[in-house]
Amino acid sequence: MIADRYAARADAFEAKVARVRDDQWDNPSPCAKWTAREVVDHVIDMHGVMLGAAIPRTGSPLDDFREARRQVHAALTSDRACSEVATPAGPMTLEDHIDQVVSDDLVLHGWDLARATGQDETIPPADVQRLWATATSVPPELMQRFRTPGAFGPGIEVYGAEVPVPADAPLQDRLLGYVGRDPMSKKS
C-alpha cells in the first residue's frame, strides 16, 4: 500500500517535472525564496535524506528525480522498508517515514511546481483528505515546531505560517492555507 501510494504520487510529480519548459525553471514558487527548480531540488534532496545518502545529480531535474524515485522505490520494495529509523517524530519504519515525509511532499510540492509553472493544480481528493487529516491532527506544540524555521536542522522548515482562507473554501484550499501556502495568490 505505501509503495503503491508513493508510486502514484511519484508518477504525478514526474509528469509535472516533465512538463516544465526550459524558460520556467527560474519562475518563483509558492515556497518563499524558491524557484521551480529549487522545489524539485528540495524533493530530490529529501529522497536522499530518507535513504541516508545524497542523490547524485546530472543537471537534469527530470533525470535526477527519476534516479531519486528509483532509489526510494528500491528501498520500499526491499527488506529495508521494515527497518526502524530515528525521526523527529520518534522511531518508525523506513516505509512509514517515507510515506509521511517524501510521499506527502510529492503532493504538496507538486502543487507548488504546478503553481510556479502554470500547470493543473488539482490535488487528488483522496490525497487532500488524507493530508488534511494528518496535518490537523498534529498537536499544537509540534505544529509550532513544524512552523519554526531550523527546528529540525539548518534550512529545514516543514510548514510555513498558516495562511487564512475562507471557512467555506474547498478542502484543498484550506489544506494549502493550513500548511503555509496561499491558494488565492497569483498563478504563474
Side-chain angles (χ1 to χ4, degrees):
M1 170 93 168
I2 288 174
D4 293 340
R5 181 170 32 247
Y6 171 81
R9 289 171 169 183
D11 285 346
F13 190 83
E14 183 176 317
K16 286 178 177 70
V17 174
R19 287 192 293 268
V20 176
R21 296 186 321 263
D22 288 343
D23 66 335
Q24 293 178 314
W25 285 110
D26 291 327
N27 287 4
S29 82
C31 295
K33 303 176 192 164
W34 282 1
T35 63
R37 180 181 306 277
E38 289 165 329
V39 168
V40 177
D41 284 343
H42 167 75
V43 168
I44 294 166
D45 288 344
M46 290 306 297
H47 278 65
V49 168
M50 294 294 105
L51 299 172
I55 304 297
R57 301 301 176 95
T58 66
S60 162
L62 182 58
D63 290 344
D64 294 347
F65 176 71
R66 285 177 174 157
E67 176 58 21
R69 174 186 186 170
R70 184 196 68 72
Q71 289 187 31
V72 165
H73 176 76
L76 286 173
T77 56
S78 73
D79 292 340
R80 186 175 173 201
C82 296
S83 63
E84 189 173 278
V85 295
T87 77
M92 64 179 70
T93 64
L94 177 63
E95 71 178 350
D96 285 337
H97 198 213
I98 288 170
D99 195 39
Q100 293 174 24
V101 177
V102 172
S103 187
D104 287 353
D105 262 8
L106 291 172
V107 176
L108 295 173
H109 289 309
W111 182 86
D112 296 331
L113 185 60
R115 172 61 57 106
T117 59
Q119 298 185 46
D120 181 4
E121 299 173 8
T122 306
I123 298 173
D127 284 336
V128 171
Q129 291 170 355
R130 181 174 187 274
L131 292 175
W132 176 255
T134 300
T136 57
S137 69
V138 172
E141 63 279 357
L142 183 55
M143 182 54 79
Q144 182 59 37
R145 194 166 171 221
F146 281 167
R147 294 184 194 283
T148 303
F152 294 102
I156 297 174
E157 183 175 341
V158 179
Y159 294 137
E162 185 172 359
V163 175
V165 297
D168 62 347
L171 188 58
Q172 176 174 310
D173 290 353
R174 293 186 324 215
L175 168 66
L176 292 166
Y178 191 74
V179 299
R181 272 53 167 199
D182 184 355
M184 308 304 171
S185 67
K186 181 182 173 209
K187 299 176 183 184
S188 290

